Amino acid sequence: MNWPVLKKSTAILGLSALSVVISSQVNAGEITVYSALEEDEIASYLEVAKQELPDVKINVLRLSTGDLGARLIAEADNPQADVVWGFAVTNILNPQISDLLEPYAVAGGAELPESYRAPDDRWFAATGYMGALCVNTERLAEKGLPMPTSWEDLLNPAFKGEIVMPDPSSSGTGYLQVAAILQGLGEEKGWQLIEDLDKNMAQYTSSGSRPCRMAQVGEYTVGASLSFVAMKSIEQGYPLKMVLPSDWAGFELEASGLMAGSDNKEDAKKFLDWTLSSSATDLYSQYKSIITVPGVPASPLAEQAGLPSDLSQVLFPMDFAKSGNERNAILDKWKSTVGR
């Protein structure tokens, strides 16, 4: 995808449907933040940041994971962002992107377990998300379908046209689901499962949350999506059951970092520090099923949805470096194998 190369003077507000400006002070500092977080959570976080960073004007450009990575690479010679916030660590590990980041020892970062931060401080991950199947129980019963518990179960011909999932080319959620299957089964068997699953797939979406939202209203029976969207849907009263696949339940970390080409590194650092402050981390349980910051309680929605307290019991141990290194090759094969 060819993104237009912008000058720093370009109004970032015109680039995004969600661009939140904090502070109207004429002399305020200003930073541009690129993020793959969901729009509703960005708005919630920044509402609090408004009170704690009153001298910083924050412009947010929200893009899907795949589009954000493409934009960063396209702008490599003329960076527009000061901060990358909540971006899939699999993508950040791509040297074309990680080389654009400057090491910064964020305040509070030392408290994160080593597996949730870069050894050279180029990135840190305070949150993460996991894949889940959103199953509409009413439609399941109407269609006389068995409750799926795994990816293998979805190969049942009875599910033909009843499943939707995110396209891994544009969605980080879609990519983590495909990567987990390939890492769990190996190349040959993994791609065979993906090809067989495609026979039952109604469509692929560009958004990781959309499949669950489609399932929650009964448009389809199964939406391969995000666990937190499933938990929120259950809380809201939709006839939905969240299923973590017993085979290859993938997950992803959401990483943040300082852009080396930033024109305002001091304010960018203030913002990054804020993302690990107690004010920020207290909000994470409202939106996240994976929180890496020690001492932050899990979401109350997790218990309601049946999510175990020890996620290591259900999550496939993802090799993020492998996911990052093989991403382009996997997406190329996806396009030639599934490609629709």
Side-chain angles (χ1 to χ4, degrees), residues 8-9 30-31 79-82 259-266 268:
K8 280 290 187 178
S9 59
E30 183 170 359
I31 61 172
Q80 301 301 304
D82 299 288
M259 292 292 291
S262 169
D263 286 342
N264 188 357
K265 291 182 181 176
E266 289 310 305

Side-chain angles (χ1 to χ4, degrees), residues 91-320:
N91 293 64
I92 275 189
L93 289 173
N94 179 343
Q96 288 181 284
I97 295 175
S98 62
D99 287 350
L100 301 176
L101 300 177
E102 178 176 308
Y104 172 59
V106 64
E111 298 179 15
L112 297 177
E114 291 185 1
S115 57
Y116 302 135
R117 49 192 168 93
D120 62 359
D121 290 324
R122 285 180 188 265
W123 59 265
F124 63 93
T127 59
Y129 52 90
M130 67 184 80
L133 303 179
C134 300
V135 183
N136 186 297
T137 54
E138 290 183 354
R139 186 175 174 106
L140 190 82
E142 290 172 3
K143 298 287 183 179
L145 297 169
M147 176 63 70
T149 62
S150 65
W151 291 108
E152 291 280 354
D153 288 349
L154 294 179
L155 302 183
N156 183 337
F159 281 101
K160 184 175 180 62
E162 291 297 321
I163 311 168
V164 284
M165 73 173 284
D167 186 327
S169 299
S170 59
S171 165
T173 305
Y175 183 73
L176 75 85
Q177 292 167 341
V178 168
I181 290 171
L182 293 174
Q183 288 185 19
L185 279 175
E187 285 285 311
E188 184 175 347
K189 292 182 179 179
W191 280 113
Q192 187 60 59
L193 185 145
I194 290 167
E195 288 185 53
D196 292 342
L197 187 62
D198 179 60
K199 297 172 184 176
N200 286 345
M201 198 66 59
Q203 64 172 279
Y204 298 95
T205 68
S206 60
S207 162
S209 60
R210 181 157 174 72
C212 196
R213 302 193 195 285
M214 297 170 89
Q216 73 182 13
V217 297
E219 192 173 348
Y220 297 98
T221 302
V222 181
S225 188
L226 294 163
S227 61
F228 204 86
V229 181
M231 291 189 285
K232 288 293 288 184
S233 300
I234 293 169
E235 180 197 37
Q236 292 165 355
Y238 289 101
L240 207 73
K241 179 176 176 59
M242 180 179 74
V243 175
L244 298 183
S246 58
D247 52 353
W248 336 124
F251 72 102
E252 180 65 271
L253 297 176
E254 295 171 310
S256 303
L258 175 67
M259 292 292 291
S262 169
D263 286 342
N264 188 357
K265 291 182 181 176
E266 289 310 305
D267 284 330
K269 290 176 181 179
K270 287 179 185 178
F271 177 75
L272 287 169
D273 289 347
W274 179 83
T275 67
L276 283 183
S277 70
S278 59
S279 298
T281 58
D282 285 348
L283 293 172
Y284 292 154
S285 61
Q286 296 181 25
Y287 297 95
K288 299 301 177 186
S289 50
I290 299 176
I291 303 171
T292 69
V293 182
V296 177
S299 166
L301 301 180
E303 184 176 351
Q304 181 181 350
L307 195 66
S309 56
D310 182 3
L311 294 178
S312 65
Q313 297 175 7
V314 293
L315 293 180
F316 178 74
M318 300 289 294
D319 184 335
F320 294 114

